Amino acid sequence: MNDLGLLRILVAVHECGSTTGAAERLNVSQPSISQGLGRLRDITGDQLFIRGSRSMSPTSLATQLYLECRGPLSQLESTFHDGEPFDPKTARDRFTIAFSDIGALTFLPPLVAGLQKHAPGIRVEATPLEIPEVESLLKTGRLDFAIGKLEAQDPELSQIDLIDQHYAAIVRRDHPTIQGELDEKTFRNAAHAVVSDPAGHWQAVSHVVRVGEPVFDVRLTLAQFNVLPAAIKESDLIGVVPHRSAVAFSETWGLQVIDIPIPLPRFTVRLLTHKGAGRRRVAYDWMTALIKDVLGSGTTSPD
């Protein structure tokens, strides 16, 4: 294996976080990846990657080498594949996409359906959205895309607005006192189930409490959204979630989706990517277009 092949292995392991993922991306065996890493360790005298519980973490030297050779390798591969047609029906590309737990519940099913229809051979690794680290993960290639309540600060990243969202309430269909609509008094006095998530969805509700008004009656606090619809279905609690998620939950769990009778701030779901993604650009652009087509729908009402 030549030095260029070794560098391709380093880039792939750095971006995929595992020898398995790197082998899939480069279409070689996993022992070949391990053998290549062994040769690189002999050459550099550095461990390069430290195996953890979830992925292989690069050493500082591995990251330095990655940053220095990622761009030139990407340019070479683009030159080799320039003009090569891209057929989604036969494509075998692999993408890592970060979602919050509510984002995965809401957006992953339609995305998988879109891939099954248009590009059944493309592989997706869905990974948790770690908001404080998302920009560095995109820049270093550990992520290809991130979808959520995000806003890019780094100029090397690009962002695409997918959905302008508002919040909605969810309650069980046979709720004893709430059917079809909700007035402000009932909403404020009801027992709530909330999720303390990094995106701060519940904070958007709690911040509307005015001086002199009682705080919301929170009976259940959860760390993740994946339990919320089941808890709502089995109780008289009210949940507040983004409207697109409320619709998805209602279809799966048999819940009512009701407009919230107080004004709440809206937010935008965005797709974040790295402008200089180190992969065949035509495949990357195709995947970006599919995500926009499947998940983006402009604005959700009400105003």
Side-chain angles (χ1 to χ4, degrees):
M1 185 180 296
N2 57 32
D3 291 345
L4 184 59
L6 295 178
L7 292 177
R8 291 181 72 231
I9 287 175
L10 183 139
V11 168
V13 174
H14 197 285
E15 292 184 348
C16 296
S18 69
T19 55
T20 301
E24 291 177 354
R25 173 177 292 187
L26 298 178
N27 196 28
V28 299
S29 67
Q30 187 171 345
S32 296
I33 299 295
S34 298
Q35 181 182 10
L37 285 179
R39 288 188 59 188
L40 280 169
R41 291 186 176 108
D42 291 339
I43 293 170
T44 62
D46 187 86
Q47 190 173 357
L48 295 177
F49 295 95
I50 302 170
R51 189 174 299 278
S53 59
R54 291 173 52 186
S55 65
M56 298 177 69
S57 300
T59 65
S60 58
L61 178 60
T63 297
Q64 179 184 346
L65 292 171
Y66 168 78
L67 293 174
E68 289 178 354
C69 66
R70 177 187 60 177
L73 281 175
S74 178
Q75 292 176 1
L76 281 173
E77 291 188 358
S78 296
T79 300
F80 290 148
H81 295 291
D82 187 32
E84 181 178 317
F86 174 75
D87 182 2
K89 292 292 185 182
T90 58
R92 301 288 296 175
D93 295 84
R94 178 181 181 274
F95 298 97
T96 301
I97 309 177
F99 300 89
S100 65
D101 71 313
I102 193 171
L105 289 166
T106 306
F107 300 124
L108 195 52
L111 181 57
V112 169
L115 286 170
Q116 180 63 39
K117 179 179 179 181
H118 299 290
I122 284 182
R123 291 158 287 179
V124 169
E125 179 183 351
T127 190
L129 178 62
E130 305 291 346
I131 293 178
E133 289 82 34
V134 67
E135 295 200 5
S136 64
L137 292 173
L138 286 166
K139 288 180 63 177
T140 57
R142 305 300 291 270
L143 284 178
D144 295 304
F145 303 99
I147 298 172
K149 187 180 176 184
L150 301 166
E151 184 171 1
Q153 303 298 321
D154 195 299
E156 292 186 27
L157 301 179
S158 63
Q159 63 181 23
I160 299 169
D161 292 353
L162 295 177
I163 311 165
D164 177 30
Q165 280 268 53
H166 73 282
Y167 290 98
I170 50 174
V171 298
R172 63 188 176 101
R173 283 187 180 165
D174 56 347
H175 196 284
T177 60
I178 301 173
Q179 286 296 322
E181 59 183 9
L182 190 61
D183 59 51
E184 182 173 347
K185 181 179 180 181
T186 301
F187 180 73
R188 290 187 179 277
N189 293 335
H192 287 258
V194 306
V195 178
S196 298
D197 70 305
H201 290 300
W202 172 247
Q203 286 85 332
V205 180
S206 60
H207 286 172
V208 302
V209 176
R210 295 182 287 266
V211 176
E213 291 179 339
V215 297
F216 287 96
D217 181 7
V218 176
R219 302 286 182 87
L220 176 64
T221 302
L222 301 168
Q224 294 180 317
F225 279 96
N226 56 5
V227 184
L228 181 65
I232 296 294
K233 183 178 176 63
E234 299 300 328
S235 70
D236 294 337
L237 299 173
I238 291 181
V240 175
V241 297
H243 181 264
R244 177 71 73 88
S245 303
V247 172
F249 291 166
S250 72
E251 294 171 351
T252 302
W253 295 90
L255 306 175
Q256 297 183 66
V257 179
I258 303 177
D259 291 338
I260 295 175
I262 57 177
L264 296 177
R266 304 179 72 97
F267 68 94
T268 302
V269 176
R270 294 186 174 94
L271 170 67
L272 267 58
T273 67
H274 192 282
K275 294 178 181 177
R279 62 171 64 252
R280 194 152 61 105
R281 192 73 226 179
V282 63
Y284 199 85
D285 290 343
W286 184 91
M287 188 66 176
T288 300
L290 179 72
I291 293 172
K292 290 170 60 180
D293 182 59
V294 171
L295 304 186
S297 63
T299 302
T300 63
S301 297
D303 294 330

